[in-house]
Amino acid sequence: MSEIKLTIDGQEVTANNGDTVLEAAQNSGIRIPTICAHPALEPYGACRLCVVQIEGIRGNPTSCTTPVQNGMIVDTKSEDIVELRREILKLMLSGHTSPCFACSDRTLCEKYRPSPTKSGKASRCTFCSFRDSCELRKLADEFEINEFDLPVIYQNIEIEHNDPFMDRDYNLCILCGRCSRICKKIHGRGAIDFINRGKNARIGTSFHKKHTETDCNFCGACIDICPTGSLSDRFAKWQGAPDKYDKSICILCSLGCSIDLKIKNGKMIESGVVDFTPENRICAVGRFAIQQLLYNPLRLDFHQVRVEDGLIKDSYENAIDKAAEELIKYQGDQFALIAHTAATREEIYLLGKFAKTVMKSDNFAIAKPDKDKIIIEPSSVLEKIKNGTVKAVFTTGNYPDSTLIEKLETLIIADMFPSENEKSAKVVFASAVLVEVEGTFLNAKGEIESLSAAVTPPKNVYPDWKIVCDIAGKMGASEFAYSSIVDIGKEINQEGIQEEIPTAPVPSPINDVNALPKYYRGHKLAGVVSALSIFSPEAQAVKADIIPEELKSTVEEKPFEIVEKKEIVPNTYMVSVYAPTIAEKCQPGQFVIAMVNEKSERIPYTISDFDREKGTITMIILEVGRSSREMANTRIGQHLAHFVGPLGKPVEIKKYGTVLCAGGCYGVGAILPIARAMKEAGNKVICIEEASSHYLLHWEKRLADNCDELVIITKDGSAGLKGGAQDAITMLAKKEEKIDQAYIIGCTFMMMLCCEVTKKLEIPTQTAMNPIMLDGTGMCGACRVSEGEKTKFACVDGPFLDGLQIDWIELMQRQAAFKIEEIEGLPQVPIEKSPEEHFCACSHT
Amino acid sequence: MVFKGNSYHFKGANTKMQRTEKKIAYELQEILNNYEIERDNLIPVLHGVQEKFGYISEESVAGISRHFNISESEIYGVATFYTQFRFTRPGDHTIRVCRGTACHVRGSQRIMNEVCKLTGIKPGETTSDYRFSLEQVACFGSCALAPIAVVNEAVYGRMTPPKIKQLLEEIE
């Protein structure tokens, strides 16, 4: 390969013939910003961000597609080029749902909201799960883009969350094509591609089919390569940016694929391919299921021992004592051990050694998943259980089946999920599993791969090998005192054991979603990772009818019918419920508590409007978590399980003089009944509606009809004034508007900023408190808020409290108390879109 | 053809466009057989399919995908790039209403409204019994006769709402 000499930014650079100018620059430490270029992909030239100037070449060629030539003189940093790149970025941002760039409160917002809000749709950066990793955002910050001279466009493409594991929001897509190109590179036939043309061009599938109906193998490479939040892993998306990367092996089938782990605070967030090549692709289970197994709500993270006829939680040490005490009674042929194949070599070796040397038994069997069933070999072990020879079993999974369990006197289980067999168990250990375990794995190619304990197991939970070593130690066996996993490996090699090379699954799960691993430790994977059930044959038949369990109302009586429901602006829903008794009594400022179904959380919602004649209550709901998602997914005609109200103290309606009502997000609706009542009471009412951008404004007309003056203010200045509600208040003060009383409803951050201003202006201010609330009647105390020296309950003392005295920082901390649990509690089941409710941007009312 | 009041009623199922699945598969294969398995032939095949069936169906895309070993999404991507391909089955009769400048000035909106009212569909749609498709066209080049409607291949000038109603009623 001949060398080529060229000059980049005045620096003499050598490159290989065939390199691109971009590669030559990168190899010489000169950075050129890129988006569509990726080391795993061929040059494409879609984003135009890597434009440079080359002497003798007309225009501004993209460095990623221009091959180097001898004597080239390249300028990558001229003022013109930087300006050109800034314009290109602005064009991308214009259609990328990013008003946050132009927001003057951004620094403060990110300080008080350290992680993005877990919304249903990314209506702006701070509602986007990819906020902290977004490449576009990093570039925009690098180019210091903080104002828009281009229109801010919300493309209004329907969100796709009807497939297992992945959410797709093409409103954030900048058409770099990295996803479709990597899909084609890895699988030959890409499941996704550019469809349509011009301004309608987007990434999609043939006839907008779901991915389960395309060639998609759910390898997740498209998610991992996407520079924006368009494509995301439904389980991982809100966990934030990883703080550590590690490599491991997926041992859920004999292929033993290498995986890259993304880790945060010792917890695995996501796994992915080690490189974007066809050879190293992984299956849906390796990509999406491991983390869902580890952090499954069903997972055992405590040890249990039997006391009389029940299992109770006990310490690890006591469980070891109890297991040793039981097992010592059954040495010899009375004992059998059943291990599973999805384990490290060290674990299998030690379990075998334990059976042989400590228990002095040859009854060591291995359970292997085979297509849709589990085979335990050798079968003589099962025979011995059946005929009563074996009386005690140690098992590392959900085997043998219950008919055999009945024959046993003693059963010791080490497992990660509860099972029916527990009913007969004397001791149940919780096991550390998969990427939590260090060791080696023999794959179907006969290669020995190594796993590091990349992820921390739950507290006091240990791998199976340590459990047997400790039991052996307790039983007086000295040869089980290993100082490290490496020593066990050495011993295996010294013993010269012939290990059986496992057979590779046919067809391979990396090529066929119907061949995905179905079992782990005898548990059906689809039983614990709900999205996997879509790939099981039984589920195929009913595929068209996936309605999440939470949508099926279990109440027989059907009050509280949803009479109207509409997504009024992205991620914001208006829901009207028929509840005549509440509508009859409710007063401005009060709230209701709703449960969509019997198992929902009780969630308070501010009443945004009520109609005593029709008997309806209207709420404006922002989708920001599990319960509001349930509400967002309701259909007209559905009945809510519970609907309680009116709760809280009404606002005191009287003549103040001039009353200010400021609302943001869900608060826009909530200020309406207050404004209306205040106007009826003879006040001059000024309303402020705050939104991040023009496409989030709603109910302007309703507000305008019920107040004397409506001030519209947007953070990006795309409609009305530019700024936040607090800026609008300042402006009113400058106009020498004397405000006698203010009511502010919105997110905590917005209310805090407003109160800072009203405090200076000495305006009495009432804010609607939104802490975590349980019963809403003053019993539980979860909703306590500090108002000056006093502790108030938002449910019975509020919701309106004196905003000038609220301890906002404490409130924010209390709201974030269950942040991780709230993320883990988000449902993972795909949601079918309901065509009749497709959101329309023109539906302003 | 029956009109009752102002709305259009179905008059039995149309058998002409009802091809059995097998027949469609056979006809598709016939088209595919005319082309070498080369990427360059994708657009000619799409043309061939549209000419034969009047549109590009999901089944056609699947068949083309198997023939060329190109993913369905890629074929759909290519086809949707060009405006001349359509993806819904056209009706037996295509009504095109001109909304160009001259026709607009001469009241083509009223013609369009009348057709929408009579057929119950919007431009770009087909009636559920596949009898009529409605399209909006920018100009036919017959501005002197504005407003224009084209039913199948016949051009009708100086249209009025009663005239277009009568025209549709006469189609059998």
Side-chain angles (χ1 to χ4, degrees):
Chain A
M1 199 174 275
S2 56
E3 269 194 355
I4 283 184
K5 283 193 172 26
L6 66 158
T7 313
I8 304 179
D9 294 345
Q11 188 182 327
E12 284 279 327
V13 163
T14 49
N16 294 321
N17 194 5
D19 279 359
T20 63
V21 172
L22 177 66
E23 285 166 332
Q26 285 171 339
N27 293 339
S28 321
I30 298 166
R31 185 173 162 274
I32 299 175
T34 56
I35 283 204
C36 76
H38 190 278
L41 293 167
E42 294 294 315
Y44 196 56
C47 74
R48 320 303 295 176
L49 210 59
C50 67
V51 286
V52 290
Q53 280 171 338
I54 302 176
E55 272 185 27
I57 295 183
R58 198 164 53 89
N60 301 104
T62 46
S63 58
C64 70
T65 55
T66 309
V68 289
Q69 277 173 26
N70 258 324
M72 256 185 180
I73 299 172
V74 183
D75 189 344
T76 75
K77 293 193 170 51
S78 77
E79 236 170 74
D80 286 355
I81 282 292
V82 172
E83 196 45 42
L84 189 55
R85 288 191 191 132
R86 192 197 308 278
E87 287 305 314
I88 292 165
L89 263 175
K90 277 187 187 171
L91 280 164
M92 285 187 207
L93 288 167
S94 162
H96 174 71
T97 324
S98 40
C100 289
F101 284 106
C103 175
S104 46
D105 301 321
R106 184 180 153 190
T107 320
L108 271 181
C109 172
E110 279 159 27
K111 181 184 162 199
Y112 289 108
R113 290 197 275 214
S115 42
T117 307
K118 50 180 196 323
S119 64
K121 286 181 185 178
S123 57
R124 49 199 188 269
C125 295
T126 196
F127 275 51
C128 173
S129 60
F130 208 60
R131 186 186 85 177
D132 301 336
S133 308
C134 180
E135 287 181 33
L136 193 58
R137 182 177 158 95
K138 281 178 189 153
L139 283 167
D141 283 345
E142 183 188 325
F143 281 84
E144 292 171 357
I145 295 174
N146 44 28
E147 55 177 18
F148 289 135
D149 37 19
L150 294 167
V152 184
I153 299 162
Y154 185 75
Q155 298 181 64
N156 192 20
I157 299 169
E158 193 163 353
I159 313 287
E160 298 174 9
H161 43 201
N162 51 358
D163 272 314
F165 307 120
M166 57 201 305
D167 284 340
R168 299 183 293 272
D169 183 349
Y170 290 117
N171 294 303
L172 306 178
C173 180
I174 50 163
L175 302 174
C176 68
R178 266 157 58 163
C179 54
S180 59
R181 286 184 287 147
I182 204 66
C183 188
K184 200 168 176 186
K185 179 188 170 188
I186 291 180
H187 301 285
R189 289 162 52 128
I192 43 174
D193 210 319
F194 282 101
I195 58 169
N196 305 334
R197 147 183 185 169
K199 74 177 173 57
N200 297 320
R202 48 166 291 196
I203 294 288
T205 58
S206 173
F207 290 93
H208 306 276
K209 286 178 185 174
K210 293 199 284 185
H211 280 210
T212 45
E213 293 162 8
T214 66
D215 292 331
C216 181
N217 282 319
F218 293 88
C219 76
C222 53
I223 297 175
D224 298 332
I225 209 163
C226 178
T228 71
S230 305
L231 305 176
S232 52
D233 173 338
R234 189 175 298 140
F235 183 82
K237 64 192 288 186
W238 297 108
Q239 316 249 9
D243 54 24
K244 191 183 142 193
Y245 296 85
D246 210 334
K247 290 206 187 323
S248 193
I249 308 291
C250 168
I251 59 172
L252 284 162
C253 84
S254 58
L255 292 178
C257 297
S258 298
I259 47 174
D260 243 357
L261 300 183
K262 288 180 190 163
I263 297 164
K264 186 176 184 178
N265 300 331
K267 270 182 66 175
M268 170 181 173
I269 303 176
E270 244 176 315
S271 81
V273 288
V274 286
D275 61 25
F276 292 99
T277 58
E279 300 75 43
N280 284 324
R281 67 186 190 268
I282 56 175
C283 75
V285 165
R287 173 63 181 77
F288 296 102
I290 298 174
Q291 60 273 43
Q292 295 199 43
L293 291 174
L294 297 185
Y295 309 112
N296 200 288
L298 294 173
R299 177 162 186 196
L300 294 176
D301 55 2
F302 49 84
H303 310 286
Q304 302 164 86
V305 296
R306 183 160 298 276
V307 176
E308 288 161 9
D309 52 356
L311 281 173
I312 58 158
K313 283 188 195 181
D314 209 336
S315 68
Y316 178 70
E317 290 72 25
N318 287 354
I320 291 287
D321 286 350
K322 174 89 175 168
E325 190 182 299
E326 281 293 326
L327 290 177
I328 206 144
K329 294 185 246 169
Y330 297 96
Q331 277 171 325
D333 210 24
Q334 306 175 71
F335 173 79
L337 197 146
I338 306 176
H340 63 98
T341 46
T344 61
R345 288 165 70 232
E346 288 77 4
E347 282 181 315
I348 294 174
Y349 167 74
L350 273 186
L351 290 165
K353 182 178 169 185
F354 176 77
K356 202 168 185 77
T357 64
V358 181
M359 297 308 294
K360 303 191 174 21
S361 164
D362 288 330
N363 303 327
F364 177 62
I366 296 212
K368 293 175 192 167
D370 180 53
K371 298 219 163 65
D372 292 328
K373 58 181 189 298
I374 294 166
I375 299 172
I376 297 177
E377 282 176 335
S379 55
S380 59
V381 174
L382 295 181
E383 281 303 315
K384 282 186 184 173
I385 300 174
K386 209 178 264 174
N387 66 29
T389 318
V390 167
K391 296 192 179 68
V393 164
F394 182 101
T395 170
T396 58
N398 185 20
Y399 357 82
D401 51 40
S402 50
T403 50
L404 295 177
I405 294 282
E406 285 166 17
K407 312 248 179 202
L408 298 172
E409 289 175 14
T410 280
L411 175 68
I412 313 277
I413 300 176
D415 202 351
M416 75 178 299
F417 293 115
S419 62
E420 277 294 296
N421 291 352
E422 274 184 2
K423 283 184 191 157
S424 316
K426 288 270 164 47
V427 183
V428 180
F429 289 99
S431 300
V433 295
L434 303 172
V435 293
E436 294 167 350
V437 181
E438 191 187 354
T440 55
F441 183 73
L442 181 63
N443 70 16
K445 285 187 204 152
E447 298 161 350
I448 291 176
E449 303 175 283
S450 54
L451 284 93
S452 63
V455 175
T456 324
K459 211 177 165 204
N460 294 326
V461 169
Y462 305 101
D464 295 339
W465 68 265
K466 178 159 166 46
I467 296 172
V468 285
C469 285
D470 288 341
I471 296 174
K474 201 47 106 189
M475 290 171 76
S478 58
E479 67 275 27
F480 279 81
Y482 296 98
S483 59
S484 80
I485 202 88
V486 181
D487 293 345
I488 310 173
K490 276 186 197 151
E491 192 175 304
I492 300 175
N493 295 338
Q494 279 164 13
E495 299 263 320
I497 298 167
Q498 283 291 314
E499 288 169 277
E500 191 194 333
I501 296 170
T503 49
V506 182
S508 172
I510 58 172
N511 297 327
D512 186 352
V513 283
N514 294 311
L516 292 173
K518 294 201 166 47
Y519 289 95
Y520 177 57
R521 290 180 183 249
H523 301 278
K524 266 196 176 161
L525 287 175
V528 273
V529 181
S530 52
L532 275 175
S533 60
I534 284 155
F535 301 119
S536 63
E538 317 88 74
Q540 292 282 341
V542 290
K543 200 161 63 173
D545 181 39
I546 304 158
I547 298 173
E549 201 53 42
E550 46 266 49
L551 290 192
K552 293 177 188 158
S553 175
T554 49
V555 198
E556 283 194 9
E557 261 181 69
K558 300 218 172 284
F560 315 132
E561 183 181 336
I562 295 175
V563 290
E564 200 184 349
K565 199 212 124 188
K566 184 152 72 170
E567 184 174 13
I568 45 175
V569 287
N571 205 44
T572 308
Y573 300 81
M574 184 190 77
V575 181
S576 291
V577 180
Y578 180 68
T581 46
I582 304 176
E584 190 191 324
K585 295 220 169 63
C586 78
Q587 300 293 330
Q590 289 188 302
F591 65 96
V592 287
I593 285 188
M595 286 171 81
V596 172
N597 68 59
E598 290 287 288
K599 287 180 182 167
S600 302
E601 293 172 288
R602 296 164 57 87
I603 295 290
Y605 296 106
T606 313
I607 297 172
S608 294
D609 205 352
F610 52 88
D611 188 325
R612 298 206 210 277
E613 266 173 41
K614 287 188 194 156
T616 56
I617 297 285
T618 300
M619 304 168 285
I620 298 284
I621 289 163
L622 212 59
E623 186 189 333
V624 288
R626 184 191 176 100
S627 303
S628 45
R629 178 180 299 181
E630 285 174 0
M631 195 60 97
N633 286 326
T634 53
R635 314 259 159 101
I636 293 173
Q638 192 181 329
H639 298 260
L640 300 179
H642 296 286
F643 199 62
V644 184
L647 297 164
K649 281 187 185 158
V651 163
E652 196 185 342
I653 306 289
K654 61 174 190 190
K655 184 147 188 204
Y656 293 92
T658 302
V659 175
L660 175 82
C661 297
C665 290
Y666 64 89
V668 173
I671 58 172
L672 176 78
I674 300 171
R676 187 169 56 202
M678 289 298 180
K679 192 159 163 32
E680 280 166 11
N683 293 290
K684 179 185 179 189
V685 178
I686 303 172
C687 283
I688 299 173
E689 173 168 1
E690 180 205 272
S692 284
S693 191
H694 65 95
Y695 58 81
L696 292 166
L697 288 170
H698 56 280
W699 276 26
E700 304 100 300
K701 192 175 176 305
R702 277 205 200 196
L703 280 178
D705 290 347
N706 287 290
C707 68
D708 297 284
E709 189 185 343
L710 173 66
V711 181
I712 303 260
I713 188 157
T714 52
K715 298 268 182 163
D716 64 354
S718 57
L721 305 168
K722 185 181 185 308
Q726 75 281 6
D727 301 318
I729 300 173
T730 312
M731 181 225 46
L732 287 171
K734 273 191 192 145
K735 274 170 54 184
E736 295 185 1
E737 190 75 62
K738 192 190 168 295
I739 298 162
D740 300 294
Q741 177 69 37
Y743 293 90
I744 295 162
I745 314 178
C747 69
T748 316
F749 178 66
M750 173 261 191
M751 293 193 287
M752 180 182 83
L753 293 189
C754 286
C755 287
E756 277 173 17
V757 172
T758 53
K759 199 170 205 167
K760 273 185 213 142
L761 297 170
E762 294 174 356
I763 303 170
T765 306
Q766 294 272 300
T767 46
M769 295 294 108
N770 51 0
I772 293 175
M773 194 180 283
L774 291 181
D775 67 286
T777 59
M779 279 195 300
C780 73
C783 65
R784 63 188 60 211
V785 175
S786 295
E787 185 195 64
E789 296 294 300
K790 284 173 276 174
T791 295
K792 292 279 178 81
F793 287 176
C795 62
V796 286
D797 301 323
F800 281 92
L801 294 177
D802 182 357
L804 305 183
Q805 292 194 62
I806 297 295
D807 183 343
W808 298 103
I809 306 300
E810 183 201 63
L811 178 63
M812 286 184 200
Q813 282 165 351
R814 288 182 63 89
Q815 284 168 338
F818 299 100
K819 206 170 95 186
I820 293 170
E821 289 81 357
E822 285 177 26
I823 290 168
E824 286 176 353
L826 288 171
Q828 298 302 317
V829 202
I831 298 168
E832 292 293 325
K833 51 190 166 191
S834 68
E836 75 274 14
E837 280 175 35
H838 178 53
F839 154 68
C840 174
C842 58
S843 66
H844 286 200
T845 49
Chain B
M1 190 70 216
V2 181
F3 283 108
K4 214 176 192 178
N6 275 336
S7 70
Y8 155 72
H9 284 252
F10 307 147
K11 191 187 158 192
N14 185 343
T15 46
K16 203 170 80 190
M17 286 298 283
Q18 274 184 345
R19 297 159 198 266
T20 61
E21 272 178 40
K22 250 188 188 166
K23 198 173 168 218
I24 291 173
Y26 178 78
E27 288 174 342
L28 177 65
Q29 195 56 49
E30 265 191 335
I31 299 167
L32 293 171
N33 289 344
N34 294 331
Y35 297 94
E36 298 274 317
I37 302 175
E38 275 170 23
R39 249 191 98 84
D40 292 357
N41 284 335
L42 179 56
I43 290 176
V45 162
L46 287 167
H47 275 298
V49 168
Q50 173 140 317
E51 206 168 293
K52 179 85 192 173
F53 301 107
Y55 74 116
I56 314 276
S57 67
E58 283 188 39
E59 294 75 20
S60 300
V61 170
I64 299 168
S65 161
R66 279 191 298 273
H67 186 72
F68 288 105
N69 194 23
I70 300 175
S71 83
E72 291 182 24
S73 301
E74 193 173 343
I75 294 164
Y76 185 75
V78 169
T80 50
F81 184 82
Y82 299 100
T83 45
Q84 71 260 52
F85 293 119
R86 51 179 302 155
F87 302 92
T88 48
R89 187 178 133 184
D92 297 355
H93 307 287
T94 307
I95 308 160
R96 296 185 178 90
V97 178
C98 181
R99 293 284 290 116
T101 315
C103 290
H104 175 75
V105 172
R106 299 292 299 263
S108 66
Q109 183 66 60
R110 290 189 301 140
I111 312 297
M112 182 62 98
N113 289 351
E114 183 68 10
V115 180
C116 290
K117 200 170 78 185
L118 290 171
T119 57
I121 55 173
K122 292 199 280 285
E125 292 178 354
T126 301
T127 55
S128 56
D129 65 347
Y130 298 107
R131 197 152 187 61
F132 292 112
S133 291
L134 176 58
E135 284 175 19
Q136 177 174 313
V137 178
C139 185
F140 284 107
S142 311
C143 307
L145 298 172
I148 301 281
V150 176
V151 178
N152 297 329
E153 300 307 316
V155 180
Y156 298 88
R158 304 208 194 287
M159 270 300 174
T160 60
K163 272 165 89 178
I164 190 88
K165 186 178 175 190
Q166 197 190 345
L167 196 59
L168 293 192
E169 279 169 353
E170 280 165 9
I171 294 172
E172 194 53 56

